Amino acid sequence: MSSTQQPQPVLNCDDLLELIPAYAFGLASPKEQQQVESGLTTCPEATAQLADYRRMQDDLRESVPQIEPPPALEDRLMAAIAAEPPARRRMPQVHRAWWAAAAAVVALVFSNVYWISRSSSAPPKAPDTNSHPILVQGDSSFVLTSSREIRWVRLPSAQKNTDATAVLMWNVESEIGLLYVRGFPPLSAGKTFQLWLTMGDAKLSAGTFQVDETGSGALLFNVTAPIDEYTWARITEEPEQGSSEPGEAVVVVGEL
Amino acid sequence: MTVQADDIDLMKRIHRHDQQAFRLLYQQYGKAAYSLAYRVLQNTTQAEEVTQDAFMKVWQQQTRWDPDKGQLRNWLLTITHFTAIDRLRRERRQPNLHPESIEDMEEMLSSRSDSLWQDDTVLRMLIQQLPAEQVALIDLAFFRGMSHSEIAAETRLPLGTVKTRLRSGLQRLRELWVETTKLPTLQS
């Protein structure tokens, strides 16, 4: 392990404040970056100053002289997008095995979820002839169509020094998705994990789930709009019955 | 609808591959993005290319806007800024900035002030209250994307001096900015 990956001692607030300008402007060394990121939670003034610098940077970008771009630029840009439809994140080959493992865990975690391959003799719903494995939980089903139509995103840990990670998978334009988590911390008594999806200013609950003794768990969820339309996902620890709004204990969070 | 609600709707349409929505996005924010790219690159052809690259990143959804984290305009300008800095670094050149010393740079920035800052902006007023040498260093760090050591090489100042002066300049600029933006008469 290189020296830059060693945990750095937490700085006191005064020392931290000295590093904030360089950190905000991308001038801090890797060691200083780590010190700032470790110390922000214990120094509210540093967090506030960092927010000031971010807003000031927005103002700096707005303070440049305004120049009309060449009229042809708009036409070139429109021609460029017409020639290149928006690319969406697709499931790379390397992740297919991982996906299969995730799906298998779903089958283990949920007693009312069934993992049925195309070779199964009795699928609960007739799958499309082009479809791949199907997962069913209650009235919801998640069918893997071709890999081109699968979207997925990894949600990294929101906290330092944890291995918690999660993967969300869904089919294009579908409201049904599959969540698989691993490395999650054990839940306290009376607690559950809750998945939230963000659309605009709203954070909508997509369901609650537990994890096993290894920190792995899964959730087949069904939301009201195509998952493509949500922008962020996060998982929080909440009271056992679930919450109406996400609390502070965020385990993983990421952009969709 | 508020600007934020309009922007959320616009980005939803773009995520659905609506080309007309994308044209609207460019018409609303293209000028600000191009102006920022030109400020960084000081070259019209490269500013065009960087503006196009930045908007293509939005179309290709290489990054997604989170309304919780700020305005669409600021997000787009941040993408444009980073794209322009990447372009500068890739070409390993600094546009129109080959001064012999920090003093030359101060003089150049002072003489070209009108072309570097928009009239009547709070930041322009605040920048003018800082020592010229600190303004020069902030300009190199923010608009040229230079590291401490690159600035030291460019200005021929000791590395420690660059770090100290830049930190002092940024701290002072933040103090002035916070004081000013808290005054209602100047916020508009």
Side-chain angles (χ1 to χ4, degrees):
Chain A
M1 184 179 289
S2 71
S3 59
T4 57
Q5 292 173 312
Q6 296 290 340
Q8 300 298 325
V10 176
L11 299 178
N12 65 43
C13 212
D14 287 342
D15 289 340
L16 192 62
L17 288 172
E18 290 293 297
L19 292 179
I20 292 298
Y23 179 82
F25 280 74
L27 298 164
S29 68
K31 176 183 172 184
E32 290 170 335
Q33 288 176 32
Q34 196 175 349
Q35 287 176 317
V36 170
E37 286 159 9
S38 302
L40 281 175
T41 54
T42 59
C43 182
E45 175 61 18
T47 305
Q49 286 197 13
L50 184 57
D52 285 344
Y53 281 117
R54 297 288 187 230
R55 287 194 293 272
M56 193 175 82
Q57 289 171 340
D58 287 337
D59 274 5
L60 280 167
R61 294 185 187 101
E62 293 280 5
S63 298
V64 306
Q66 295 298 290
I67 306 166
E68 287 294 340
L73 179 55
E74 180 176 333
D75 294 336
R76 278 206 301 277
L77 193 55
M78 295 308 295
I81 67 164
E84 184 177 359
R88 294 304 304 257
R89 285 162 288 192
R90 294 173 178 174
M91 179 179 264
Q93 196 78 24
V94 68
H95 288 281
R96 288 184 186 168
W98 202 79
W99 151 250
V105 171
V106 173
L108 294 174
V109 170
F110 291 96
S111 60
N112 59 338
V113 172
Y114 303 91
W115 168 255
I116 301 164
S117 72
R118 277 197 296 176
S119 61
S120 169
S121 58
K125 293 181 181 178
D128 183 275
T129 52
N130 293 321
S131 69
H132 288 256
I134 180 170
L135 287 165
V136 180
Q137 181 184 9
D139 294 332
S140 299
S141 61
F142 182 87
V143 180
L144 275 180
T145 55
S146 71
S147 60
R148 287 186 175 186
E149 294 173 329
I150 296 169
R151 293 177 184 170
W152 68 276
V153 64
R154 184 189 298 274
L155 310 179
S157 174
Q159 297 160 9
K160 295 286 178 192
N161 305 319
T162 78
D163 296 325
T165 186
V167 171
L168 278 177
M169 285 164 275
W170 67 98
N171 288 318
V172 173
E173 297 179 356
S174 170
E175 294 91 5
I176 298 173
L178 175 65
L179 168 74
Y180 170 65
V181 308
R182 63 181 176 184
F184 267 44
L187 279 168
S188 311
K191 295 283 191 177
T192 189
F193 291 115
Q194 191 163 1
L195 171 65
W196 304 90
L197 299 181
T198 300
M199 180 185 286
D201 295 330
K203 294 184 179 65
L204 307 167
S205 173
T208 61
F209 63 97
Q210 306 279 325
V211 295
D212 64 15
E213 66 279 3
T214 69
S216 297
L219 173 70
L220 187 61
F221 62 93
N222 190 347
V223 286
T224 54
I227 298 170
D228 300 325
E229 295 185 11
Y230 295 88
T231 53
W232 282 78
R234 71 197 73 206
I235 296 172
T236 58
E237 186 177 310
E238 302 290 348
E240 198 166 26
Q241 69 278 12
S243 299
S244 57
E245 291 184 357
E248 301 282 321
V250 181
V251 185
V252 295
V253 61
E255 201 174 8
L256 297 184
Chain B
M1 289 175 90
T2 64
V3 171
Q4 186 85 339
D6 284 344
D7 284 342
I8 290 171
D9 182 60
L10 190 64
M11 290 306 289
K12 277 185 186 173
R13 290 171 56 197
I14 289 170
H15 291 161
R16 294 190 197 109
H17 318 164
D18 181 336
Q19 294 188 13
Q20 191 54 37
F22 187 75
R23 186 187 290 277
L24 282 174
L25 182 79
Y26 174 80
Q27 289 172 346
Q28 285 183 29
Y29 302 119
K31 180 178 177 179
Y34 176 78
S35 301
L36 176 60
Y38 181 78
R39 172 69 165 83
V40 172
L41 294 153
Q42 299 290 300
N43 177 294
T44 54
T45 302
Q46 292 178 352
E48 282 182 55
E49 291 169 357
V50 160
T51 304
Q52 180 165 329
D53 287 349
F55 275 83
M56 287 302 290
K57 287 178 181 175
V58 175
W59 177 253
Q60 293 167 337
Q61 300 180 39
Q62 293 180 21
T63 177
R64 294 280 288 263
W65 171 53
D66 181 359
D68 292 345
K69 290 192 168 181
Q71 296 176 6
L72 177 61
R73 181 185 179 90
N74 292 336
W75 176 75
L76 260 171
L77 290 183
T78 302
I79 294 172
T80 306
H81 189 193
F82 289 166
T83 305
I85 295 293
D86 285 346
R87 177 68 180 262
L88 267 187
R89 287 176 175 160
R90 207 165 54 239
E91 300 200 353
R92 297 180 184 278
R93 69 174 193 84
Q94 300 300 319
N96 302 338
L97 279 176
H98 298 286
E100 294 298 316
S101 67
I102 185 68
E103 289 80 14
D104 293 338
M105 186 171 298
E106 291 167 17
E107 185 179 338
M108 183 275 293
L109 287 172
S110 176
S111 66
R112 295 180 54 213
S113 182
D114 285 346
S115 66
L116 299 176
W117 301 101
Q118 190 178 355
D119 287 341
D120 304 326
T121 60
V122 170
L123 255 301
R124 177 174 183 159
M125 180 189 75
L126 300 182
I127 283 279
Q128 288 171 342
Q129 296 182 45
L130 295 180
E133 63 180 16
Q134 290 183 344
V135 175
L137 299 183
I138 291 172
D139 194 89
L140 291 175
F142 188 68
F143 286 112
R144 308 285 177 257
M146 285 186 173
S147 66
H148 281 136
S149 54
E150 287 170 333
I151 294 172
E154 182 80 13
T155 59
R156 301 179 184 178
L157 289 172
L159 181 59
T161 303
V162 168
K163 288 184 177 180
T164 304
R165 290 183 183 174
L166 194 47
R167 182 175 65 240
S168 301
L170 289 172
Q171 287 172 330
R172 181 62 185 144
L173 186 59
R174 187 194 71 84
E175 289 167 3
L176 291 168
W177 181 82
V178 168
E179 288 170 12
T180 307
T181 52
K182 282 180 180 171
L183 295 175
T185 52
L186 288 173
Q187 281 183 6
S188 59

